[in-house]
Amino acid sequence: MLIVENLSCAVLEGVSFRLDDGELVALSGASGSGKTRLLRAIADLDLNRGEVRLDGVLREEIDPRSWRRRVACLPAESRWWAERVGEHFRDPEGVPFDRLGLDPAIPGWRVDRLSSGERQRLAILRLLENRPRVLLLDEPTANLDPRSTERVETLVREYLDSDAASCLWVTHAADQIARIASRRLQLAGGVLLEEAA
Amino acid sequence: MITLSLLDLSLAALLVVALALSSLRIYPKIAMQLAVAALRTAIQLTLIGLVLKVLFANSHLLWVALLSLFMLAVAGREVMARQHRRFSGWWGYGIGALSMFISSFSVALFALLVVIGNQPWYEPQYAIPLLGMLLGNTMNGIALALDRLTSAASEQRDVIEARLMLGHGRDEAIADIRQQVFRTGLIPIINAMAAAGIVSLPGMMTGQILAGAPPVEAVKYQILIMFLIAGGAGFGTLAAMHFGVKRLFDKRLRLRLDRLAR
């Protein structure tokens, strides 16, 4: 369970909410409303004030590396630093590439050969390799076709159920929110509003 | 040894004046910088010549130390001035100056005490030129390395943060940049060592030979200087990189580009 209390940073003001185990919550808001900032602040990438607790433990009591493995943030655009796909995974053998419709031989591929949709799906698998307790996903299906979108939704749902993890999912699509989310949070001018899905 | 007269130097200066005049049309700002730099060379070298003359006459540790610190302070300012995106506040000056202090001074002490072994060890005829050579070259290495570090960290911010988001530590997240930075700091001295004697006759050696020293003695000193410079520039780059990387991240392992001046 993730509890965020009074989180403030450059554009956010006193944001509070909680994510229960197994819960998937949608986050939406106009561009510039601070959605990305909120995810970054929870992952502790930007300077911020306020309390964030994971399973009762305060963020500051956890080493920043372990914190980010447990509270995993997926940026809207994925980044790659090595030449081959496989070098970005700890154990490429154990990654279910086929679950997202990717070629099982993809670890041997060159990163610069990937399409943006492939990168997006690979980034999700790369993030899940850490087996995080909380997923903070910034428009994870923005570049994907309906079929891949459905695969990602199913994979994340199953992961949340099997690991009792929770997820904050940034999306604008009303149909997607209705499909996946149990609740919906909305950011407007750095302040959080809650609406039932 | 043929003593140079003021007229001899003025003739050489004509070369710079001619160059400044020719560049006036292409890039007036460079012509101005060229003139100022040439003037500075003449004035600064004359002054240091006078200072050394006095210093050689009264070799005292205090005077040697004071001049060394003054040289370090100027070199630190020079490193800071060469950064496109320097660390803000005192760090911009401190990281470069501290790294140069650690590397140049310890290498100079090592050379004076262990290798040359003069009595007294701080004999200014050895100490000041040696330190000057070391400072000049570590200054180059450190300035290049710090500039590369801060600009690469700003350019590759997204990659560094993507790695932080996956739970990577500081050293992992900046591994590629670290390699580039180290390479940048060391390439000048590696090239200098590789080309020495074949493509270029190093300045110090040339000066000694022109001043009448036997070539083989001059060469031995040049080899010593090259190795000392490699050590000074290399360890200086390592130190600057260490402090720089430390300053780029905070305790919570955030990339703090806000600590760079705009």
Side-chain angles (χ1 to χ4, degrees):
Chain A
M1 182 172 63
L2 183 83
I3 300 179
V4 174
E5 251 175 278
N6 253 320
L7 195 66
S8 302
C9 70
V11 294
L12 301 174
E13 252 174 80
V15 170
S16 303
F17 67 95
R18 58 186 278 173
L19 292 176
D20 286 319
D21 289 351
E23 192 180 27
L24 196 160
V25 175
L27 175 65
S28 50
S31 56
S33 61
K35 305 182 294 292
T36 301
R37 293 284 194 147
L38 176 58
L39 302 195
R40 287 175 59 92
I42 298 171
D44 214 2
L45 287 157
D46 291 329
L47 286 180
N48 63 85
R49 297 181 309 279
E51 281 187 6
V52 184
R53 288 169 196 274
L54 178 66
D55 301 325
V57 184
L58 201 62
R59 180 172 62 180
E60 281 67 28
E61 288 164 20
I62 301 176
D63 177 78
R65 282 167 299 176
S66 331
W67 177 261
R68 291 184 191 129
R69 272 179 224 135
R70 286 181 230 179
V71 179
C73 184
L74 181 84
E77 202 170 322
S78 65
R79 297 287 167 176
W80 308 84
W81 49 90
E83 193 190 343
R84 309 258 162 203
V85 171
E87 293 172 72
H88 298 87
F89 290 85
R90 216 172 298 129
D91 173 29
E93 298 282 305
V95 179
F97 293 108
D98 55 323
R99 287 291 314 275
L100 292 188
L102 295 162
D103 191 321
I106 207 166
W109 292 12
R110 294 175 58 94
V111 170
D112 51 20
R113 236 187 71 183
L114 301 171
S115 71
S116 60
E118 283 166 340
R119 285 170 188 241
Q120 189 81 359
R121 283 176 283 165
L122 283 168
I124 294 165
L125 292 169
R126 180 171 72 175
L127 198 71
L128 288 178
E129 213 186 9
N130 284 333
R131 303 218 75 81
R133 292 277 299 125
V134 177
L135 294 172
L136 307 169
L137 309 180
D138 199 350
E139 306 204 43
T141 55
N143 293 321
L144 302 182
D145 57 51
R147 190 162 154 67
S148 294
T149 300
E150 191 199 316
R151 280 181 160 137
V152 169
E153 288 172 1
T154 312
L155 184 78
V156 170
R157 186 66 258 168
E158 283 180 23
Y159 177 76
L160 300 185
D161 292 340
S162 70
D163 281 46
S166 42
C167 176
L168 188 62
W169 184 311
V170 175
T171 178
H172 295 287
D175 58 324
Q176 184 170 51
I177 296 174
R179 235 174 13 245
I180 59 172
S182 57
R183 278 190 297 143
R184 177 185 174 190
L185 299 173
Q186 187 152 17
L187 263 175
V191 182
L192 200 63
L193 318 161
E194 181 152 4
E195 300 164 24
Chain B
M1 188 171 91
I2 300 166
T3 311
L4 293 174
S5 69
L6 205 58
L7 179 70
D8 299 333
L9 293 180
S10 311
L11 288 175
L14 280 181
L15 206 59
V16 181
V17 172
L19 179 64
L21 288 178
S22 326
S23 54
L24 209 52
R25 250 199 259 151
I26 309 169
Y27 198 165
K29 214 175 134 198
I30 288 288
M32 200 52 209
Q33 281 179 7
L34 185 69
V36 171
L39 212 62
R40 278 185 64 171
T41 285
I43 296 173
Q44 286 164 196
L45 289 179
T46 308
L47 282 178
I48 194 71
L50 294 176
V51 168
L52 288 179
K53 194 176 158 190
V54 175
L55 203 59
F56 287 4
N58 339 252
S59 82
H60 192 286
L61 183 57
L62 181 71
W63 295 120
V64 176
L66 276 180
L67 181 58
S68 308
L69 285 178
F70 175 73
M71 286 157 69
L72 175 71
V74 176
R77 211 200 67 89
E78 188 67 20
V79 166
M80 190 173 79
R82 290 194 202 169
Q83 311 294 310
H84 284 295
R85 295 209 64 187
R86 58 168 157 270
F87 288 97
S88 48
W90 270 97
W91 294 91
Y93 184 82
I95 289 179
L98 182 63
S99 311
M100 276 190 294
F101 176 73
I102 293 172
S103 60
S104 301
F105 278 57
S106 50
V107 171
L109 278 182
F110 163 76
L112 291 171
L113 290 169
V114 185
V115 184
I116 300 176
N118 199 35
Q119 283 297 338
W121 61 268
Y122 53 82
E123 181 74 67
Q125 188 194 338
Y126 291 88
I128 297 300
L130 204 64
L131 187 68
M133 289 290 283
L134 279 167
L135 270 180
N137 285 280
T138 42
M139 180 180 83
N140 273 331
I142 288 172
L144 287 170
L146 277 178
D147 189 46
R148 187 86 209 101
L149 176 68
T150 50
S151 55
S154 323
E155 284 158 18
Q156 299 176 39
R157 173 191 172 166
D158 291 347
V159 174
I160 298 171
E161 289 193 330
R163 299 186 78 156
L164 292 178
M165 286 182 210
L166 289 167
H168 290 189
R170 190 170 65 191
D171 293 348
E172 259 180 302
I174 205 149
D176 305 336
I177 293 179
R178 202 186 268 266
Q179 282 189 351
Q180 294 168 19
V181 169
F182 194 46
R183 191 173 166 278
T184 311
L186 276 181
I187 277 296
I189 180 62
I190 290 176
N191 287 343
M193 285 200 289
I198 304 176
V199 185
S200 65
L201 287 185
M204 189 216 85
M205 190 180 108
T206 315
Q208 259 192 316
I209 294 174
L210 286 177
V216 174
E217 287 309 307
V219 161
K220 279 197 275 183
Y221 266 94
Q222 185 61 51
I223 294 175
L224 171 71
I225 292 285
M226 285 294 210
F227 289 168
L228 295 179
I229 288 174
F235 288 114
T237 302
L238 278 180
M241 200 156 73
H242 173 80
F243 297 128
V245 169
K246 247 185 140 160
R247 183 69 188 154
L248 274 176
F249 294 89
D250 65 12
K251 227 170 51 210
R252 293 299 295 171
L253 215 57
R254 304 179 189 109
L255 179 63
R256 295 292 298 275
L257 292 178
D258 57 309
R259 287 176 175 173
L260 300 179
R262 196 43 283 212

